[in-house]
Amino acid sequence: MILIVYDSCTGNTQSMAKSIAQGARERGAEVMLKQVDDATVDDLIKADAIILGCPTYFGMMAAKMKKFVDQSNDIWGKLDKKMGAAFTSSGGISGGNETTLLSLIQAMLIHGMIVTSPLGRYGVVAIGKPDKKTLESCAKLGRRMVSLLRI
């Protein structure tokens, strides 16, 4: 099962999360799509793969996502060797997208997760409302995760 946990204020990150889920479902994967407020650390344990996404705030993950990641400290060691990936959106080209992705990825690596992304990038990024190309990259990320899990 692929767990996608996201935070979204304007709907941009939510659109990306839905496209990732659609791509994974196209390949037959079971997907659990949860807003960060509704996700639990037990969800992380149950998942085979975890994809985290949130808006960029000053080049870092959003506070709600950071709080969720901090709670995962209680299950350290239980996410080892699970697949992971990240995505983000921001209001502008200089919003700090790459550093936000790195903050999400860093948390996964500390848990011993194996991180992947589409097209050899850190993850998928949207500037403002995700366009068709960005949403296709999101779907590609979902499909890639399924192929790596060999579901």
Side-chain angles (χ1 to χ4, degrees), residues 4-18:
I4 303 168
V5 179
Y6 69 93
D7 184 24
S8 187
C9 297
T10 63
N12 293 338
T13 312
Q14 181 181 35
S15 294
M16 296 172 75
K18 287 180 178 180

Side-chain angles (χ1 to χ4, degrees), residues 39-53:
T40 68
V41 293
D42 287 337
D43 294 330
L44 297 171
I45 294 169
K46 292 175 190 172
D48 299 305
I50 301 160
I51 304 174
L52 301 178

